[in-house]
Coordinates of all heavy atoms in Angstrom, one line a residue:
M10 N 46.5 25.6 27.2 CA 45.6 26.0 26.1 C 45.2 27.5 26.2 O 45.0 28.0 27.3 CB 44.3 25.1 26.1 CG 43.9 24.7 24.8 SD 42.3 23.9 24.9 CE 42.7 22.3 24.3
D11 N 45.1 28.2 25.2 CA 44.8 29.6 25.2 C 43.3 29.8 25.4 O 42.5 29.0 24.9 CB 45.2 30.2 23.8 CG 45.0 31.7 23.8 OD1 45.5 32.4 24.6 OD2 44.3 32.2 22.8
A12 N 42.9 30.8 26.2 CA 41.5 31.1 26.5 C 40.7 31.3 25.2 O 39.5 30.9 25.2 CB 41.4 32.2 27.5
D13 N 41.3 32.0 24.3 CA 40.5 32.3 23.0 C 40.2 31.0 22.3 O 39.1 30.9 21.8 CB 41.3 33.2 22.1 CG 41.4 34.6 22.7 OD1 40.5 35.0 23.5 OD2 42.4 35.3 22.4
L14 N 41.1 30.1 22.3 CA 40.8 28.8 21.6 C 39.7 28.0 22.3 O 38.9 27.5 21.7 CB 42.1 28.0 21.5 CG 41.9 26.6 20.9 CD1 41.5 26.7 19.5 CD2 43.2 25.8 21.1
V15 N 39.8 28.0 23.6 CA 38.8 27.3 24.4 C 37.4 28.0 24.2 O 36.4 27.2 24.0 CB 39.1 27.3 25.9 CG1 38.0 26.7 26.7 CG2 40.4 26.5 26.1
L16 N 37.3 29.3 24.1 CA 36.0 29.9 23.9 C 35.5 29.7 22.4 O 34.3 29.5 22.2 CB 36.1 31.4 24.2 CG 36.3 31.8 25.6 CD1 36.5 33.3 25.8 CD2 35.1 31.3 26.5
F17 N 36.5 29.6 21.5 CA 36.1 29.2 20.1 C 35.5 27.8 20.1 O 34.5 27.6 19.4 CB 37.3 29.3 19.2 CG 37.0 28.8 17.8 CD1 36.3 29.5 16.9 CD2 37.5 27.6 17.5 CE1 36.0 29.0 15.7 CE2 37.3 27.0 16.2 CZ 36.5 27.8 15.3
L18 N 36.1 26.9 20.8 CA 35.6 25.5 20.8 C 34.3 25.5 21.5 O 33.4 24.7 21.1 CB 36.6 24.6 21.5 CG 37.9 24.4 20.8 CD1 38.9 23.6 21.7 CD2 37.7 23.7 19.5
A19 N 34.1 26.4 22.5 CA 32.7 26.4 23.2 C 31.7 26.9 22.2 O 30.6 26.3 22.1 CB 32.8 27.4 24.4
L20 N 32.0 27.9 21.4 CA 31.1 28.4 20.4 C 30.8 27.3 19.3 O 29.6 27.1 18.9 CB 31.6 29.6 19.7 CG 31.5 30.9 20.5 CD1 32.2 32.0 19.7 CD2 30.1 31.3 20.8
T21 N 31.8 26.5 19.0 CA 31.6 25.4 18.0 C 30.7 24.4 18.6 O 29.8 23.8 17.9 CB 33.0 24.8 17.7 OG1 33.8 25.8 17.2 CG2 32.8 23.7 16.7
A22 N 30.8 24.1 19.9 CA 29.9 23.1 20.6 C 28.5 23.6 20.6 O 27.6 22.9 20.3 CB 30.4 22.9 22.0
F23 N 28.3 24.9 20.8 CA 26.9 25.5 20.8 C 26.4 25.4 19.3 O 25.2 25.2 19.1 CB 26.9 26.9 21.3 CG 27.1 27.0 22.8 CD1 28.0 27.7 23.4 CD2 26.2 26.2 23.6 CE1 28.2 27.8 24.7 CE2 26.4 26.3 25.0 CZ 27.4 27.1 25.6
A24 N 27.3 25.6 18.3 CA 26.8 25.5 16.9 C 26.4 24.1 16.6 O 25.4 23.9 15.9 CB 27.9 25.9 16.0
I25 N 27.1 23.1 17.2 CA 26.7 21.7 17.0 C 25.3 21.5 17.6 O 24.5 20.7 17.1 CB 27.8 20.8 17.5 CG1 29.0 20.9 16.6 CG2 27.3 19.3 17.7 CD1 30.2 20.2 17.2
A26 N 25.1 22.1 18.8 CA 23.8 21.9 19.5 C 22.7 22.5 18.6 O 21.6 22.0 18.5 CB 23.8 22.6 20.8
I27 N 23.0 23.6 17.9 CA 22.0 24.3 17.1 C 21.7 23.4 15.9 O 20.5 23.2 15.4 CB 22.4 25.7 16.6 CG1 22.4 26.6 17.8 CG2 21.6 26.2 15.5 CD1 23.1 27.9 17.6
A28 N 22.7 22.7 15.3 CA 22.5 21.8 14.2 C 21.6 20.6 14.7 O 20.8 20.2 13.9 CB 23.8 21.3 13.7
G29 N 21.9 20.1 15.9 CA 21.0 19.1 16.4 C 19.6 19.5 16.6 O 18.6 18.8 16.3
A30 N 19.4 20.8 17.0 CA 18.0 21.3 17.1 C 17.3 21.4 15.8 O 16.1 21.1 15.7 CB 18.1 22.7 17.8
T31 N 18.0 21.7 14.8 CA 17.5 21.7 13.4 C 16.9 20.3 13.0 O 15.8 20.2 12.5 CB 18.5 22.2 12.4 OG1 18.9 23.5 12.8 CG2 17.9 22.3 11.0
A32 N 17.8 19.3 13.3 CA 17.3 18.0 12.9 C 16.2 17.5 13.8 O 15.2 16.9 13.4 CB 18.5 17.0 13.1
F33 N 16.2 18.0 15.1 CA 15.1 17.6 16.0 C 13.8 18.1 15.6 O 12.8 17.4 15.6 CB 15.5 18.1 17.4 CG 14.5 17.7 18.5 CD1 14.5 16.4 19.0 CD2 13.6 18.6 19.0 CE1 13.6 16.0 19.9 CE2 12.7 18.2 20.0 CZ 12.7 16.9 20.4
V34 N 13.8 19.4 15.2 CA 12.5 20.0 14.8 C 12.0 19.4 13.4 O 10.8 19.7 13.0 CB 12.5 21.5 14.8 CG1 12.8 22.1 16.1 CG2 13.4 22.1 13.7
I35 N 12.8 18.7 12.7 CA 12.4 18.1 11.5 C 11.8 16.7 11.8 O 10.7 16.3 11.4 CB 13.5 17.9 10.5 CG1 13.9 19.3 10.0 CG2 13.1 17.0 9.3 CD1 15.1 19.4 9.1
F36 N 12.5 15.9 12.6 CA 12.2 14.5 12.7 C 11.2 14.2 13.9 O 10.3 13.3 13.7 CB 13.4 13.6 13.0 CG 14.2 13.4 11.7 CD1 15.4 14.1 11.5 CD2 13.8 12.5 10.8 CE1 16.1 13.9 10.3 CE2 14.5 12.2 9.6 CZ 15.7 12.9 9.4
W37 N 11.3 14.9 15.0 CA 10.4 14.7 16.1 C 8.9 14.9 15.8 O 8.1 14.1 16.1 CB 10.9 15.4 17.3 CG 10.2 15.2 18.6 CD1 9.7 16.1 19.5 CD2 9.8 13.9 19.2 NE1 9.1 15.5 20.6 CE2 9.2 14.2 20.4 CE3 10.0 12.6 18.8 CZ2 8.7 13.2 21.3 CZ3 9.5 11.6 19.7 CH2 8.8 11.9 20.8
P38 N 8.6 16.0 15.1 CA 7.2 16.2 14.8 C 6.7 15.1 13.8 O 5.5 14.7 13.9 CB 7.1 17.6 14.1 CG 8.3 18.3 14.6 CD 9.3 17.3 14.8
L39 N 7.5 14.7 12.9 CA 7.1 13.6 12.0 C 6.9 12.3 12.8 O 5.9 11.6 12.5 CB 8.2 13.4 10.9 CG 8.4 14.5 9.9 CD1 9.6 14.2 9.0 CD2 7.1 14.6 9.1
A40 N 7.7 12.0 13.8 CA 7.5 10.8 14.6 C 6.2 11.0 15.4 O 5.5 10.0 15.5 CB 8.7 10.6 15.5
L41 N 6.0 12.1 15.9 CA 4.7 12.3 16.7 C 3.5 12.2 15.9 O 2.5 11.6 16.3 CB 4.8 13.7 17.4 CG 5.7 13.8 18.6 CD1 5.8 15.2 19.1 CD2 5.4 12.9 19.7
V42 N 3.5 12.7 14.7 CA 2.4 12.5 13.8 C 2.2 11.0 13.4 O 1.0 10.5 13.4 CB 2.5 13.3 12.5 CG1 1.5 12.9 11.4 CG2 2.4 14.8 12.8
H43 N 3.3 10.3 13.2 CA 3.2 8.9 12.9 C 2.6 8.2 14.2 O 1.7 7.3 14.0 CB 4.5 8.3 12.6 CG 4.5 6.8 12.4 ND1 4.2 6.3 11.1 CD2 4.9 5.8 13.1 CE1 4.3 5.0 11.2 NE2 4.7 4.6 12.4
I44 N 3.0 8.5 15.3 CA 2.5 7.9 16.6 C 1.0 8.2 16.7 O 0.2 7.4 17.0 CB 3.3 8.4 17.8 CG1 4.7 7.9 17.8 CG2 2.5 8.1 19.1 CD1 5.6 8.5 18.8
R45 N 0.6 9.5 16.5 CA -0.8 9.9 16.6 C -1.7 9.1 15.6 O -2.8 8.6 16.0 CB -0.9 11.4 16.3 CG -2.4 11.9 16.4 CD -2.5 13.2 15.8 NE -2.4 13.1 14.3 CZ -2.1 14.1 13.5 NH1 -1.9 15.3 14.0 NH2 -1.9 13.9 12.2
D46 N -1.2 8.9 14.4 CA -2.0 8.2 13.4 C -2.0 6.7 13.5 O -3.0 6.1 13.1 CB -1.4 8.6 12.0 CG -1.7 10.0 11.6 OD1 -2.4 10.7 12.3 OD2 -1.0 10.5 10.7
R47 N -1.0 6.1 14.0 CA -0.9 4.6 14.0 C -0.8 3.9 15.3 O -0.9 2.7 15.4 CB 0.4 4.2 13.1 CG 0.3 4.8 11.8 CD 0.5 3.8 10.7 NE 0.2 4.4 9.4 CZ 1.1 4.6 8.5 NH1 2.3 4.3 8.7 NH2 0.7 5.1 7.3
H48 N -0.5 4.7 16.4 CA -0.3 4.0 17.7 C -1.0 4.8 18.8 O -0.4 5.6 19.6 CB 1.2 4.0 18.0 CG 2.0 3.3 17.0 ND1 2.0 1.9 16.9 CD2 2.8 3.7 16.0 CE1 2.8 1.5 15.9 NE2 3.3 2.6 15.4
P49 N -2.4 4.6 18.9 CA -3.1 5.3 19.9 C -2.7 5.0 21.3 O -2.8 5.9 22.2 CB -4.6 4.9 19.6 CG -4.5 3.7 18.8 CD -3.2 3.7 18.1
Q50 N -2.2 3.8 21.6 CA -1.8 3.5 23.0 C -0.5 4.4 23.4 O -0.4 4.8 24.5 CB -1.5 2.0 23.1 CG -0.2 1.5 22.5 CD -0.4 1.2 21.0 OE1 -1.4 1.6 20.3 NE2 0.7 0.6 20.4
I51 N 0.4 4.6 22.4 CA 1.5 5.5 22.7 C 1.1 6.9 22.9 O 1.6 7.7 23.7 CB 2.6 5.3 21.7 CG1 3.1 3.9 21.6 CG2 3.8 6.2 21.9 CD1 4.1 3.6 20.5
T52 N 0.1 7.3 22.0 CA -0.4 8.7 22.1 C -1.0 8.9 23.5 O -0.8 10.0 24.1 CB -1.5 8.9 21.0 OG1 -0.9 8.7 19.7 CG2 -2.0 10.3 21.1
A53 N -1.8 7.9 24.0 CA -2.4 8.1 25.3 C -1.3 8.2 26.4 O -1.4 8.9 27.4 CB -3.3 6.9 25.6
Q54 N -0.2 7.4 26.2 CA 0.9 7.4 27.2 C 1.6 8.7 27.2 O 2.0 9.3 28.2 CB 1.9 6.3 26.8 CG 3.1 6.2 27.7 CD 4.0 5.1 27.2 OE1 3.8 4.4 26.2 NE2 5.1 5.0 27.9
L55 N 1.9 9.3 26.0 CA 2.6 10.6 25.9 C 1.8 11.8 26.1 O 2.3 12.8 26.5 CB 3.3 10.7 24.5 CG 4.3 9.6 24.2 CD1 4.9 9.8 22.8 CD2 5.4 9.5 25.2
G56 N 0.5 11.7 25.8 CA -0.4 12.8 25.9 C -0.4 13.7 24.7 O 0.4 13.5 23.8
E57 N -1.4 14.5 24.6 CA -1.5 15.4 23.4 C -0.5 16.5 23.5 O -0.2 17.0 24.6 CB -3.0 16.0 23.4 CG -4.0 15.0 23.1 CD -3.9 14.4 21.7 OE1 -3.5 15.1 20.8 OE2 -4.1 13.2 21.6
G58 N -0.1 17.0 22.4 CA 0.9 18.1 22.4 C 2.2 17.7 23.1 O 2.7 18.4 23.9
A59 N 2.7 16.6 22.7 CA 3.9 16.0 23.4 C 5.2 16.5 23.0 O 6.3 16.0 23.4 CB 3.9 14.5 23.3
F60 N 5.3 17.5 22.1 CA 6.5 17.9 21.5 C 7.7 18.2 22.5 O 8.8 17.7 22.4 CB 6.3 19.2 20.6 CG 7.5 19.6 19.9 CD1 8.0 18.8 18.8 CD2 8.3 20.7 20.2 CE1 9.1 19.2 18.1 CE2 9.4 21.1 19.5 CZ 9.8 20.3 18.5
L61 N 7.4 19.0 23.5 CA 8.4 19.3 24.5 C 8.1 18.8 25.9 O 8.6 19.3 26.9 CB 8.7 20.8 24.5 CG 9.5 21.3 23.3 CD1 9.7 22.8 23.4 CD2 10.8 20.6 23.1
K62 N 7.1 17.9 26.0 CA 6.7 17.4 27.4 C 7.9 16.5 27.9 O 8.4 15.7 27.1 CB 5.5 16.6 27.3 CG 4.2 17.4 27.2 CD 3.0 16.6 27.3 CE 1.8 17.4 27.2 NZ 0.5 16.6 27.3
P63 N 8.2 16.7 29.1 CA 9.3 15.9 29.7 C 9.1 14.4 29.6 O 10.1 13.7 29.3 CB 9.4 16.3 31.2 CG 8.8 17.7 31.2 CD 7.8 17.7 30.1
R64 N 7.9 13.9 29.8 CA 7.6 12.5 29.7 C 7.9 12.0 28.3 O 8.5 10.9 28.1 CB 6.1 12.2 30.1 CG 5.7 10.8 29.8 CD 6.3 9.8 30.8 NE 6.0 8.5 30.4 CZ 6.8 7.6 30.0 NH1 8.1 7.8 29.9 NH2 6.4 6.4 29.6
A65 N 7.5 12.8 27.3 CA 7.7 12.4 25.9 C 9.2 12.4 25.5 O 9.7 11.5 24.8 CB 6.9 13.3 24.9
L66 N 9.9 13.4 26.0 CA 11.3 13.5 25.7 C 12.1 12.3 26.4 O 13.0 11.8 25.8 CB 11.9 14.8 26.1 CG 11.3 16.0 25.3 CD1 11.8 17.3 25.9 CD2 11.6 15.9 23.8
W67 N 11.6 12.0 27.6 CA 12.3 10.9 28.3 C 12.0 9.6 27.6 O 12.8 8.7 27.4 CB 11.9 10.8 29.7 CG 12.5 9.7 30.4 CD1 12.0 8.5 30.9 CD2 13.9 9.5 30.7 NE1 12.9 7.7 31.4 CE2 14.1 8.3 31.3 CE3 15.0 10.4 30.5 CZ2 15.4 7.9 31.8 CZ3 16.3 9.9 31.0 CH2 16.4 8.7 31.6
W68 N 10.8 9.4 27.1 CA 10.4 8.2 26.3 C 11.3 8.1 25.1 O 11.7 7.0 24.7 CB 8.9 8.4 25.9 CG 8.3 7.3 25.1 CD1 7.8 6.1 25.5 CD2 8.3 7.3 23.6 NE1 7.4 5.4 24.4 CE2 7.7 6.0 23.3 CE3 8.6 8.2 22.6 CZ2 7.4 5.7 21.9 CZ3 8.4 7.8 21.3 CH2 7.8 6.6 21.0
L69 N 11.5 9.2 24.4 CA 12.4 9.2 23.3 C 13.9 8.9 23.7 O 14.5 8.1 23.0 CB 12.3 10.6 22.6 CG 13.2 10.8 21.3 CD1 12.7 9.8 20.2 CD2 13.1 12.2 20.8
L70 N 14.4 9.6 24.7 CA 15.8 9.4 25.1 C 16.1 8.0 25.5 O 17.1 7.5 25.3 CB 16.1 10.4 26.2 CG 16.6 11.8 25.7 CD1 16.9 12.7 26.9 CD2 17.9 11.7 24.9
S71 N 15.1 7.4 26.2 CA 15.3 6.1 26.8 C 15.2 5.0 25.7 O 15.5 3.8 26.0 CB 14.4 5.8 28.0 OG 13.0 5.8 27.5
G72 N 14.7 5.4 24.6 CA 14.5 4.4 23.5 C 13.3 3.5 23.6 O 13.3 2.4 23.1
E73 N 12.3 3.9 24.4 CA 11.2 3.1 24.6 C 10.4 2.8 23.3 O 9.6 1.8 23.2 CB 10.2 3.7 25.6 CG 10.7 3.7 27.0 CD 9.8 4.3 28.0 OE1 8.5 4.0 27.9 OE2 10.2 5.1 28.8
Y74 N 10.6 3.6 22.2 CA 10.0 3.4 21.0 C 10.4 2.1 20.3 O 9.7 1.5 19.5 CB 10.3 4.5 20.0 CG 11.7 4.7 19.7 CD1 12.3 4.0 18.6 CD2 12.5 5.6 20.4 CE1 13.7 4.2 18.3 CE2 13.9 5.7 20.1 CZ 14.4 5.1 19.1 OH 15.8 5.2 18.8
R75 N 11.6 1.5 20.7 CA 12.0 0.3 20.1 C 11.2 -0.9 20.6 O 11.3 -2.0 20.0 CB 13.5 0.1 20.5 CG 14.4 1.0 19.8 CD 15.8 0.8 20.1 NE 16.1 1.4 21.4 CZ 17.2 1.6 22.0 NH1 18.3 1.1 21.4 NH2 17.4 2.2 23.1
A76 N 10.4 -0.8 21.6 CA 9.5 -1.9 22.1 C 8.3 -2.0 21.1 O 7.7 -3.1 21.1 CB 9.0 -1.6 23.5
T77 N 8.1 -1.0 20.3 CA 7.0 -1.1 19.3 C 7.5 -1.7 18.0 O 8.5 -1.1 17.4 CB 6.4 0.3 19.1 OG1 6.0 0.9 20.3 CG2 5.2 0.2 18.1
P78 N 6.9 -2.8 17.5 CA 7.5 -3.4 16.3 C 7.0 -2.7 15.0 O 6.3 -3.2 14.2 CB 6.9 -4.8 16.3 CG 5.6 -4.7 17.1 CD 5.9 -3.6 18.1
D79 N 7.5 -1.4 14.9 CA 7.1 -0.6 13.7 C 8.4 0.0 13.2 O 9.0 0.9 13.8 CB 6.1 0.5 14.1 CG 5.7 1.3 13.0 OD1 6.2 1.2 11.9 OD2 4.7 2.1 13.2
R80 N 8.9 -0.5 12.0 CA 10.1 0.0 11.5 C 10.0 1.5 11.1 O 11.0 2.2 11.1 CB 10.5 -0.8 10.2 CG 10.9 -2.3 10.6 CD 11.2 -3.1 9.5 NE 12.4 -2.6 8.8 CZ 12.7 -2.8 7.5 NH1 11.9 -3.6 6.8 NH2 13.8 -2.3 7.0
N81 N 8.8 1.9 10.7 CA 8.7 3.3 10.3 C 8.8 4.2 11.5 O 9.4 5.3 11.4 CB 7.3 3.6 9.6 CG 7.2 2.9 8.3 OD1 8.2 2.8 7.6 ND2 6.0 2.3 8.0
L82 N 8.3 3.8 12.6 CA 8.4 4.6 13.9 C 9.9 4.6 14.3 O 10.4 5.7 14.6 CB 7.6 4.0 15.0 CG 7.8 4.6 16.4 CD1 7.4 6.1 16.3 CD2 6.9 3.9 17.4
S83 N 10.6 3.5 14.2 CA 12.0 3.5 14.5 C 12.8 4.4 13.5 O 13.8 5.1 13.9 CB 12.6 2.1 14.4 OG 12.2 1.4 15.5
G84 N 12.4 4.4 12.3 CA 13.1 5.3 11.3 C 12.9 6.7 11.5 O 13.7 7.5 11.1
L85 N 11.8 7.1 12.2 CA 11.6 8.6 12.5 C 12.1 8.9 13.9 O 12.7 10.0 14.2 CB 10.2 8.9 12.4 CG 9.6 8.9 11.0 CD1 8.1 9.0 11.1 CD2 10.1 10.0 10.2
A86 N 12.0 8.0 14.9 CA 12.4 8.2 16.3 C 13.9 8.2 16.5 O 14.4 8.9 17.3 CB 11.6 7.3 17.2
T87 N 14.6 7.3 15.8 CA 16.0 7.2 16.0 C 16.7 8.5 15.6 O 17.6 8.9 16.4 CB 16.6 6.0 15.2 OG1 15.9 4.8 15.7 CG2 18.1 5.9 15.3
P88 N 16.5 9.1 14.4 CA 17.2 10.4 14.2 C 16.7 11.5 15.2 O 17.5 12.3 15.6 CB 16.7 10.8 12.8 CG 16.2 9.6 12.2 CD 15.7 8.7 13.3
S89 N 15.5 11.4 15.7 CA 15.0 12.3 16.7 C 15.8 12.2 18.0 O 16.3 13.1 18.6 CB 13.6 12.1 17.0 OG 12.8 12.3 15.9
R90 N 16.0 10.9 18.4 CA 16.8 10.6 19.6 C 18.3 11.1 19.4 O 18.8 11.7 20.3 CB 16.8 9.1 19.8 CG 17.5 8.7 21.1 CD 17.3 7.2 21.3 NE 17.9 6.8 22.6 CZ 18.6 5.7 22.8 NH1 18.8 4.9 21.8 NH2 19.1 5.5 23.9
I91 N 18.9 10.8 18.3 CA 20.3 11.2 18.1 C 20.4 12.7 18.1 O 21.3 13.2 18.7 CB 20.8 10.6 16.8 CG1 20.9 9.1 16.9 CG2 22.1 11.2 16.4 CD1 21.2 8.4 15.6
S92 N 19.5 13.4 17.5 CA 19.5 14.8 17.5 C 19.3 15.4 18.9 O 20.0 16.4 19.2 CB 18.5 15.4 16.5 OG 17.2 15.1 16.8
L93 N 18.5 14.8 19.7 CA 18.3 15.3 21.0 C 19.5 15.0 21.9 O 19.9 15.9 22.6 CB 17.1 14.6 21.7 CG 16.6 15.0 23.0 CD1 16.4 16.5 23.1 CD2 15.4 14.3 23.5
L94 N 20.2 13.9 21.6 CA 21.5 13.7 22.3 C 22.6 14.7 21.9 O 23.4 15.1 22.7 CB 22.0 12.2 22.1 CG 21.2 11.1 22.7 CD1 21.6 9.8 22.2 CD2 21.3 11.2 24.2
V95 N 22.6 15.0 20.6 CA 23.5 16.0 20.1 C 23.2 17.4 20.7 O 24.2 18.1 21.1 CB 23.4 16.1 18.5 CG1 24.2 17.3 18.0 CG2 24.0 14.8 17.9
I96 N 22.0 17.7 20.9 CA 21.6 19.0 21.5 C 22.2 19.0 22.9 O 22.8 20.0 23.3 CB 20.1 19.2 21.5 CG1 19.6 19.4 20.1 CG2 19.7 20.4 22.4 CD1 18.1 19.3 20.0
L97 N 21.8 18.0 23.7 CA 22.2 18.0 25.1 C 23.8 17.9 25.2 O 24.3 18.6 26.1 CB 21.6 16.8 25.8 CG 20.1 16.8 25.9 CD1 19.5 15.5 26.4 CD2 19.6 18.0 26.7
G98 N 24.4 17.1 24.4 CA 25.9 17.0 24.5 C 26.5 18.3 24.1 O 27.5 18.8 24.7
G99 N 26.0 19.0 23.0 CA 26.6 20.3 22.6 C 26.5 21.4 23.6 O 27.4 22.1 23.9
I100 N 25.3 21.4 24.3 CA 25.1 22.4 25.3 C 26.0 22.1 26.5 O 26.6 23.0 27.1 CB 23.6 22.5 25.7 CG1 22.8 23.1 24.6 CG2 23.4 23.3 27.0 CD1 21.3 23.0 24.8
A101 N 26.1 20.9 26.9 CA 26.9 20.5 28.0 C 28.4 20.8 27.7 O 29.1 21.4 28.6 CB 26.7 19.0 28.4
M102 N 28.9 20.4 26.6 CA 30.3 20.6 26.2 C 30.6 22.1 26.1 O 31.6 22.6 26.5 CB 30.6 19.9 25.0 CG 32.1 20.0 24.6 SD 33.2 19.4 25.9 CE 32.9 17.7 26.0
G103 N 29.7 22.8 25.5 CA 29.8 24.3 25.3 C 29.9 25.0 26.7 O 30.7 25.9 26.9
G104 N 29.0 24.5 27.6 CA 29.0 25.1 28.9 C 30.3 24.9 29.7 O 30.9 25.7 30.3
V105 N 30.8 23.6 29.6 CA 32.0 23.3 30.3 C 33.2 24.1 29.7 O 34.0 24.6 30.4 CB 32.3 21.7 30.2 CG1 33.7 21.4 30.6 CG2 31.3 21.0 31.0
L106 N 33.3 24.1 28.4 CA 34.4 24.9 27.7 C 34.3 26.4 28.0 O 35.3 27.0 28.2 CB 34.4 24.6 26.2 CG 34.8 23.2 25.8 CD1 34.5 23.0 24.3 CD2 36.3 23.1 26.1
W107 N 33.1 26.9 28.1 CA 32.9 28.3 28.4 C 33.4 28.6 29.8 O 34.1 29.6 30.1 CB 31.5 28.7 28.3 CG 31.3 30.2 28.6 CD1 31.6 31.2 27.8 CD2 30.8 30.7 29.8 NE1 31.3 32.4 28.4 CE2 30.8 32.1 29.7 CE3 30.3 30.2 31.0 CZ2 30.4 33.0 30.6 CZ3 29.9 31.1 32.0 CH2 29.9 32.4 31.8
I108 N 33.1 27.7 30.8 CA 33.6 27.9 32.2 C 35.1 27.8 32.2 O 35.8 28.6 32.9 CB 32.9 26.8 33.1 CG1 31.5 27.1 33.3 CG2 33.6 26.8 34.4 CD1 30.6 26.1 33.9
I109 N 35.7 26.8 31.5 CA 37.2 26.7 31.4 C 37.8 28.0 30.8 O 38.8 28.5 31.3 CB 37.6 25.4 30.6 CG1 37.2 24.2 31.4 CG2 39.1 25.4 30.3 CD1 37.3 22.9 30.7
G110 N 37.1 28.5 29.7 CA 37.7 29.7 29.1 C 37.6 30.9 30.0 O 38.5 31.7 30.0
Q111 N 36.6 31.0 30.8 CA 36.5 32.1 31.7 C 37.5 32.0 32.8 O 38.1 33.0 33.3 CB 35.1 32.1 32.4 CG 34.0 32.5 31.4 CD 34.2 33.9 30.8 OE1 34.4 34.8 31.5 NE2 34.1 33.9 29.5
A112 N 37.8 30.7 33.3 CA 38.8 30.5 34.3 C 40.2 30.8 33.8 O 41.1 31.3 34.5 CB 38.8 29.1 34.8
L113 N 40.5 30.6 32.5 CA 41.8 30.9 31.9 C 42.0 32.3 31.6 O 43.2 32.7 31.4 CB 42.0 30.0 30.6 CG 42.1 28.5 30.8 CD1 42.2 27.9 29.4 CD2 43.3 28.2 31.6
S114 N 40.9 33.1 31.4 CA 41.2 34.5 31.1 C 41.3 35.5 32.2 O 41.3 35.2 33.3 CB 40.1 35.0 30.1 OG 38.8 34.7 30.4

C-alpha cells in the first residue's frame, strides 16, 4: 500500500471522528437535560456538569442507561453512545493508520 493512500485513509478516519463529535454534542446534552429533569437519582450518580466527566462517559459507554425503564432516555442516550464510539474508533483508527503511513514513508 502506498504511504499517501494510508495517510489519506487516516485523515478520513479523523473526519469520521469529527462527524461523531458533532452528533455527540447534539445528543449528549439533550440526554443530560432529560436526566436532570426526570431522573434525580441518576443526576446524583453522575454529578453536576457531567458533560465530559469520566464517570458520566463510562456510564454512557457501558450502557447503564438501559437499566432505567425510560424510552425517551434510551432514545437520547443511544445515539450519544454510538457517536462516542464513533469518536473513539475514528481517533484510534486514524492514529494507527498515521503510524503505518509514517513507517511506509
Side-chain angles (χ1 to χ4, degrees):
M10 220 188 244
D11 187 52
D13 292 333
L14 176 62
V15 173
L16 291 176
F17 172 75
L18 293 174
L20 285 174
T21 303
F23 287 126
I25 290 170
I27 291 169
T31 302
F33 184 76
V34 299
I35 292 169
F36 285 102
W37 185 226
L39 293 172
L41 289 173
V42 168
H43 180 80
I44 290 168
R45 181 195 68 201
D46 292 345
R47 305 231 168 113
H48 302 284
Q50 72 281 8
I51 298 174
T52 301
Q54 178 185 0
L55 299 180
E57 292 297 322
F60 185 72
L61 289 177
K62 284 187 176 177
R64 171 71 187 116
L66 294 175
W67 180 250
W68 178 85
L69 180 64
L70 273 177
S71 64
E73 290 181 43
Y74 61 88
R75 290 181 281 189
T77 306
D79 182 350
R80 293 178 63 202
N81 293 323
L82 176 58
S83 286
L85 292 169
T87 299
S89 302
R90 181 178 187 220
I91 292 170
S92 61
L93 187 55
L94 289 170
V95 168
I96 293 167
L97 296 174
I100 290 172
M102 185 55 69
V105 167
L106 287 169
W107 182 77
I108 291 170
I109 293 171
Q111 292 301 309
L113 291 176
S114 42

